[in-house]
Every structure is written in C-alpha cells, then in structure tokens.
Amino acid sequence: MPLLTLENISLAYGMQPLLDQASLVIEPGERVCLLGRNGEGKSTLLKIIAGEVTPDGGLVRLDSGTKLAVLPQMLPSDDTRTAYDVVSGAFPETGELLARFHHLSQQADEASMDQMMKVQERLEALDGWRLDQKVTAILQQYRIDPDQTLNTLSGGWQRRVLLAKALVADPDILLLDEPTNHLDVPAIAWLEEALAQFRGAIVFVSHDRAFIRRMATRVVELDRGHLVSFAANYDKYLELKEKALEEEDRQNALFDKRLKQEEAWIRQGIKARRTRNMGRVRALRAMREERRQRRERVGTASFSVEDASRSGKLVVDAAHASFRYPDGKEIIRDLSLTILRGDKIGLVGENGTGKTTLVRLLLGDLEPTEGRVRLGTNRQVAYFDQLRGELDLERNALDNLSEGREFIEINGQQKHVLGYLQEFLFSPERARSPVRVFSGGERARLLLAKLFSKPANILVLDEPTNDLDVETLELLEARLVDFAGTVIVISHDREFLDNIATDTLFLDGSGRVQEYVGGYSDWRHQGGRFPTEVEATGSQGAARAGAGKDAAAPGSGKASSSSSTASGKRPAKLSYKHKHELEQLPGQIEVLESELESLNAKVSAPDFYQQDTDTVNRVLKELEQKEASLEKAMERWMELEEMQGGG
C-alpha cells in the first residue's frame, strides 16, 4: 500500500507551469532522490507534499495514519532555544510542557516548584513522560547536549538536532531538501549513517553526487513540469536518462519531419486551388497545436573562463609560515608549501579549522605572524563567495553583471550582456528579475557568470557546488580542469574534489596543514582521516596496529602510509615473507573490490529495505566489514610498497 500518492498535480507561478499534471507514488522503505535543474520546482514539490503549498489542481493523498516529518533546508540563524526544546517541539502541546518542566527543574525556588506540580499533572494526563523518554533517548543516541542552545552550535550539529526532531516522532516519510549544504565531510558522513538506519521512506533533493550514490534506491526527475521515475540507483539513472533523451530527440525529429510534409501538402493544395481533405486539415491543425505546446528542454549551460595573461610560474611560496590572531589562537602553524601555475588545490577540513584563513594567507590578504609567504608575479584573482555576498539582491541579474556595460569581452570576443547571461540559462525575462526572487541555484549561476566575466589567472572558489544542479556542476568541473591558471577550492563535495584537484591540503584543526597528491579519495587512500574519526576508532586502531608501534599516523602527509618514514627512520628491507605478501595483495584487493561492488548493488536495490530486519542488518554489517578489510589491505599494500622502495 503506497504511503503517499500525488495525482495530476498542477502549479504555475508564471508563463510556464512548474508542475504540469505531475504524478508520484512513494512506497514504504524507499529512498527517493528528486533531481532536476535549478528553478524546476523541486523544493516547491516538497512543500506541496508537506502541506505548506497548495497546488492549483490535483490530489495529494497520504495513507491513513501516515506520519510525515521535514528536515528543513535553511538552518536557523539566531535560535536561542536549547536542543531539548527544539526536539521536544516535535510534539506540539506536550513538547511545550516538557520544555517548561525541563527548565523549571533547574530552578530551586518555591514558585518554580509550584509551577512544576501543575505542569507535571498535565503531563501525566497527556502521557508526557513516555515522550520525554523518547526525546532524552534520541538526544543521547546522537550525543547532543540537551541544554546547548542552537545558536552556539555549528551547522553540522544544528542539522543533527533538527534531524533528531524530525525522527523522534517516528515518521513514516522524511523529507530532506539539500541536507548536505554547508556541512563538512564528517557531518555528511554522520548524516548518511543516521539516514541509513532510518526504516521509513525518504524523499530528498540533493546535488551531492556521492550522497545520492550512497542514499538513493530510486531517482525521480522533475523535467519541464513532469515527474519521470527511474527505478534505479544514480549511476544506472544516468545511463537510462541518456537513452531517454536520445529517444525523445528521435521522436521529435520524426514528428517535425511529418509536420513539415503536411505543411508542404497544404501549401501545395492552396496554390493549386484544389479541394482539400478536411480531415487531414484538422489533423494538421492538431499537429500544429501539439508542436506549439511542446516544452523544449532548456539548453545546457555553456560558459568559458576569461583568461588573463599568465601569472608567473610561481604563484605562492610559504616557508615555515604561521598565523595567529591577536587573542593568541594559532590557526596556521609552520606551513611550508609551494603552489605553481596550473595547480588545482582542494582544501579539506572540518568547519572552523581555518580553511578561509589559509586562503587569505596564500592570497596575501593576511601577513604571517611568523615565517614568510612569498607571492608570485602578475597575479589576477577572481573570488567565488559561498555566501553570495557579491550580489545585490535588490538589483536584477543584468545590472549585477553589467556594472553599466552593454557588452563584455570574453577571451577577445565581444558579447552582449543578455546573450552572455543566456549561456548561464537566464532568459531575457529572468535576467531582468530582481535577484531576491532567485533560487539558490540561480544565484550561484549568476555569481559564476560574474566571476567568469573578469580576467583571472587565479580562481578561488569557496563552496561553489552548493545549490548547483548536476549538469552545471559537471560543466564547471570541465572548465576548471581546462583552465590554464591556478585554482584553489574549498569544498565538502567529495566527487567535485576528486574530479578537479591535483593536490589536497588537509587542515586537522591544530594548525597543521598537510599536503597530499590527488583529490579527496586519494587523500583517504593515503591514510587521511578527520580527527573525529580518529577519536571514534582510536582504541580499535591501536589494537589493530600493535598499540601504534607499526601504524601510520593519519594525515602525516604524502608519505603517511609508513610509520618508519613518518618517524624519520629508513624503511626496513623486505623479507621473503613480505615479498610474498606484497605479491598476493593486489589479487586480494581485486576480490574485495568485486565483493564490495556486489554488496553495494544489493543495498542499492529498490526493495532492499523491504526485507526483514535481520537480513538487512546482516548485509549492512558484511558491507562494513568488507570496507574495513579493503581499507586495511590498501594500507598494508602501500606500507610494503614503500618498504620495498626504501630497501
């Protein structure tokens, strides 16, 4: 029995309908990713499901007794409520009483005691203590301090509190709108694990491809007002979507060819003054109307970067540079780093570890308090701000970009500002709309248009992937890879970093900056770990590595896979036993990767979570064990390879 059914939903705000007779069915246990271009109406559809927006037509039907919860996209800016207050708010009247009792219990005066008695009586009548146990239990499960106020928490911890509120009432359907935006990688990993344990149905909007691959059992695309379902995981969806577009193009071409023939027939009939077949004339009129009603697929964004003259080969050279603020807190410690023209640098670290400070130090905006930072010559920097601070929300897109110009020059070619904006998928009508009515994705595209209209040989991008649809994101990746200058990117999008970064800088929060070759996955394979992961697995890791004597220190740099290298000792020569082990490891790794691929296919199957709990838990546990075995085998292979090189 479906939990949720949408039948022929219609909604229009402008000339084109956002939703045009759209239909959708959500079954128990599904994890449905809702994809579509920016501005197609994905967030609006979630609001319709949640009852926050009423459609112009159609039916939204929840199965009897179905409970629905929402994890909002926007985090509260200045919420002074405690975590307990927020989570207990999932139960309207009872939650308010529980929060009041919780605060009164921390006061010792007589008046508070009298009020507590009255609140307690009402709670007992509402079975409030059972709900209090649920609130307390989920706060403990998520390791949340019940008395911490929301405005003192990081974005990741705020998201954790809001998820606890959404899940404490045991919903059957959970709605998520861009849940990974503004979260660091450990917070995203925690969110993935928490959602994987949720047994209800999930409907989510996301452009984080790694998150989609991990979570989605089905993909539903909102395309030109219609919902198209693909009973597949994300990678299979990409294949099916490409075939569907090819078939659509083929059918449209056949239709247009026939329409052209019919138009030629009627013109010839008019010219010869022949009596016409009125049935055929009526059919032609119907074809004309069908062609007029066809909603063409919006073209793909097409933009290029305005190259400045080349910078010097050396972009920046830091030697034992440190930076501390006047309060004495050291943000960067003993940084030695060289960046050359053409390098693509990805910055990885938890929120608050100093990534933005590091960028400002490398750009020369901050002077090191110790050591030196030498800047290269002929540097022209363009900066992409994750807060979209360079956009004037009251002006339209045209005025934000043009700055009084009618034409702009891109790589020696004059382009009209309106034409240039169309390359970023802004119609002339939309380009004249105020930015305050734009979606997050449209604002991101406008900022990219503004960024790429200026000559630059160094691009600095702070969380550029937030809100971008997948097609624009992939085009941005291609342009950054082809860009002849230098790119510095702060991002928590793991796949984005894998696709563009030639080097990764990891900030562990202590002030240290470690350099690794490659992107995010390369950093992980070289032993890279976040401090929170090390804390969580420290005791197990110590036991596995012989109390730390032979273990690599996570994040110890490009040679982090060998403890002997990290400690400065010459690696030992390989024994016959070690050589044999090294020869066997590639085959073992290949087998483990094949087994993992098979297990991931099982977990991604649409009906996986509809099986009994024991079967699901057994497969998930096996998947976790195989991942750990593969990671251990990779670490051992790197260690033996390095020992062989040193021997």
Side-chain angles (χ1 to χ4, degrees):
M1 184 73 179
L3 293 174
L4 170 71
T5 303
L6 304 182
E7 291 182 5
N8 302 323
I9 300 297
S10 297
L11 181 69
Y13 288 132
M15 297 293 292
Q16 293 281 13
L18 273 181
L19 298 166
D20 185 7
Q21 301 289 306
S23 297
L24 177 67
V25 172
I26 301 297
E27 301 285 352
E30 285 194 296
R31 299 204 298 263
V32 178
C33 176
L34 182 60
L35 286 181
R37 288 186 165 180
N38 298 133
E40 286 278 0
K42 301 183 298 297
S43 296
T44 302
L45 181 62
L46 290 188
K47 290 177 181 177
I48 288 174
I49 294 173
E52 298 172 18
V53 171
T54 303
D56 298 334
L59 178 67
V60 180
R61 185 170 62 246
L62 279 174
D63 187 35
S64 177
T66 298
K67 289 187 288 185
L68 188 145
V70 180
L71 181 65
Q73 179 181 14
M74 300 301 295
L75 295 173
S77 57
D78 191 24
D79 195 330
T80 58
R81 292 178 298 165
T82 66
Y84 184 94
D85 294 348
V86 172
V87 177
S88 63
F91 311 106
E93 181 187 358
T94 311
E96 186 178 337
L97 289 169
L98 285 171
R100 192 174 169 197
F101 186 89
H102 186 73
H103 289 294
L104 288 170
S105 66
Q106 297 173 339
Q107 302 172 26
D109 58 278
E110 190 172 334
S112 299
M113 294 296 291
D114 291 340
Q115 292 180 49
M116 276 181 63
M117 293 293 290
K118 294 177 182 177
V119 172
Q120 183 174 346
E121 288 176 7
R122 182 60 182 153
L123 282 171
E124 287 172 353
L126 294 171
D127 194 20
W129 300 121
R130 181 180 61 84
L131 299 183
D132 172 65
Q133 290 175 351
K134 294 187 71 172
V135 172
T136 302
I138 200 166
L139 287 169
Q140 290 174 347
Q141 179 186 348
Y142 288 176
R143 297 187 292 119
I144 299 168
D145 179 354
D147 297 318
Q148 190 91 35
T149 58
L150 232 62
N151 61 352
T152 63
L153 295 173
S154 68
W157 280 94
Q158 286 188 11
R159 188 77 74 189
R160 191 178 290 215
V161 172
L162 294 175
L163 182 62
K165 177 186 177 182
L167 296 183
V168 73
D170 297 323
D172 301 289
I173 302 176
L174 180 62
L175 305 181
L176 311 171
D177 193 354
E178 295 288 2
T180 65
N181 268 9
H182 308 293
L183 297 188
D184 56 28
V185 176
I188 294 172
W190 178 89
L191 180 64
E192 289 173 346
E193 291 300 325
L195 293 176
Q197 295 171 23
F198 176 59
R199 293 295 171 250
I202 299 174
V203 181
F204 67 97
V205 173
S206 180
H207 298 128
D208 184 328
R209 291 159 294 179
F211 181 81
I212 297 170
R213 282 191 172 90
R214 175 76 192 274
M215 298 307 304
T217 59
R218 177 159 67 108
V219 174
V220 173
E221 184 176 42
L222 178 54
D223 183 13
R224 290 163 282 180
H226 298 284
L227 290 171
V228 184
S229 179
F230 296 83
N233 61 22
Y234 181 67
D235 289 315
K236 187 65 176 177
Y237 151 76
L238 293 176
E239 294 177 24
L240 295 173
K241 177 63 178 175
E242 186 175 358
K243 291 178 182 176
L245 287 176
E246 289 174 358
E247 178 61 19
E248 180 183 334
D249 289 342
R250 190 181 72 83
Q251 292 292 341
N252 284 344
L254 287 173
F255 180 92
D256 292 344
K257 181 180 179 181
R258 185 173 162 228
L259 176 60
K260 186 177 180 181
Q261 290 170 343
E262 292 299 291
E263 294 282 9
W265 166 79
I266 200 167
R267 284 195 300 271
Q268 187 64 33
I270 293 170
K271 184 177 179 181
R273 290 184 171 85
R274 290 199 301 264
T275 301
R276 290 180 293 281
N277 181 332
M278 293 310 297
R280 193 169 176 182
V281 171
R282 285 191 292 271
L284 174 57
R285 286 175 177 165
M287 289 181 72
R288 285 173 173 171
E289 179 61 19
E290 183 179 343
R291 181 64 184 86
R292 190 182 68 80
Q293 292 290 340
R294 183 197 298 171
R295 287 181 65 175
E296 299 288 356
R297 183 169 166 78
V298 178
T300 304
S302 174
F303 53 83
S304 57
V305 182
E306 164 70 335
D307 289 327
S309 56
R310 296 204 309 175
S311 66
K313 184 174 182 180
L314 176 71
V315 175
V316 63
D317 181 53
H320 304 291
S322 298
F323 180 82
R324 67 180 72 238
Y325 284 108
D327 62 4
K329 183 180 180 181
E330 190 172 48
I331 307 298
I332 305 297
R333 182 173 78 245
D334 195 28
L335 171 68
S336 292
L337 173 71
T338 299
I339 297 177
L340 302 177
R341 182 180 63 237
D343 285 348
K344 311 291 192 296
I345 308 296
L347 271 61
V348 172
E350 297 182 43
N351 289 336
T353 53
K355 298 186 292 295
T356 302
T357 300
L358 174 59
V359 169
R360 294 183 65 196
L361 199 62
L362 297 176
L363 294 180
D365 296 340
L366 294 175
E367 290 289 333
T369 49
E370 298 172 25
R372 67 166 177 81
V373 174
R374 182 161 60 97
L375 304 180
T377 58
N378 192 29
R379 295 158 41 107
Q380 290 182 261
V381 180
Y383 193 92
F384 182 98
D385 175 17
Q386 68 159 316
L387 300 178
R388 319 291 190 247
E390 292 188 18
L391 297 177
D392 185 336
L393 302 185
E394 297 307 314
R395 300 171 74 192
N396 61 31
L398 197 61
D399 292 338
N400 263 281
L401 175 69
S402 67
E403 298 174 349
R405 300 170 293 174
E406 186 177 356
F407 291 89
I408 57 176
E409 185 173 312
I410 305 293
N411 292 327
Q413 182 183 358
Q414 288 280 327
K415 293 188 177 184
H416 193 278
V417 175
L418 270 177
Y420 177 69
L421 280 171
Q422 284 182 291
E423 295 179 7
F424 290 81
L425 304 183
F426 290 103
S427 66
E429 179 188 11
R430 197 60 174 168
R432 294 186 174 93
S433 302
V435 174
R436 58 181 161 76
V437 304
F438 282 10
S439 67
E442 287 175 312
R443 293 184 189 186
R445 273 193 275 119
L446 178 57
L447 194 57
L448 286 175
K450 190 171 182 179
L451 177 79
F452 292 155
S453 70
K454 300 174 181 177
N457 49 40
I458 300 174
L459 295 177
V460 179
L461 309 173
D462 190 354
E463 293 294 352
T465 67
N466 284 346
D467 302 311
L468 284 183
D469 59 53
V470 173
E471 288 186 14
T472 307
L473 183 54
E474 290 175 346
L475 179 61
L476 174 61
E477 288 174 348
R479 292 296 175 266
L480 293 178
V481 169
D482 293 340
F483 181 54
T486 305
V487 179
I488 300 174
V489 176
I490 298 173
S491 181
H492 301 309
D493 187 320
R494 295 155 287 182
E495 189 156 338
F496 183 75
L497 290 172
D498 279 343
N499 290 341
I500 69 157
T502 59
D503 293 89
T504 296
L505 302 181
F506 173 61
L507 292 81
D508 64 6
S510 71
R512 291 188 307 162
V513 180
Q514 297 132 40
E515 183 181 3
Y516 296 78
V517 174
Y520 175 83
S521 296
D522 297 301
W523 168 69
R524 297 290 291 189
H525 288 151
Q526 294 173 66
R529 296 293 180 271
F530 292 96
T532 48
E533 292 178 291
V534 176
E535 291 168 12
T537 60
S539 58
Q540 297 175 359
R544 186 170 60 243
K549 291 179 182 178
D550 300 316
S556 57
K558 292 181 179 176
S560 62
S561 58
S562 170
S563 58
S564 54
T565 302
S567 61
K569 297 178 183 177
R570 181 180 176 84
K573 186 176 180 179
L574 283 182
S575 66
Y576 173 82
K577 180 181 176 182
H578 285 155
K579 286 180 180 177
H580 181 70
E581 183 183 0
L582 181 58
E583 289 170 358
Q584 298 298 314
L585 274 170
Q588 295 172 16
I589 289 169
E590 187 176 352
V591 170
L592 285 167
E593 287 176 336
S594 176
E595 291 172 344
L596 266 175
E597 185 176 354
S598 175
L599 286 168
N600 277 314
K602 281 186 182 179
V603 172
S604 298
D607 59 350
F608 175 72
Y609 285 98
Q610 295 175 23
Q611 302 176 90
D612 62 89
T613 303
D614 289 341
T615 301
V616 169
N617 288 339
R618 177 176 54 77
V619 175
L620 290 175
K621 186 175 181 180
E622 186 180 359
L623 179 64
E624 183 180 356
Q625 290 171 342
K626 293 294 183 185
E627 286 175 339
S629 297
L630 178 60
E631 186 173 335
K632 185 178 178 181
M634 291 291 293
E635 289 175 356
R636 183 58 174 163
W637 178 81
M638 288 188 287
E639 182 180 2
L640 292 174
E641 275 286 311
E642 189 155 354
M643 288 172 66
Q644 179 174 252

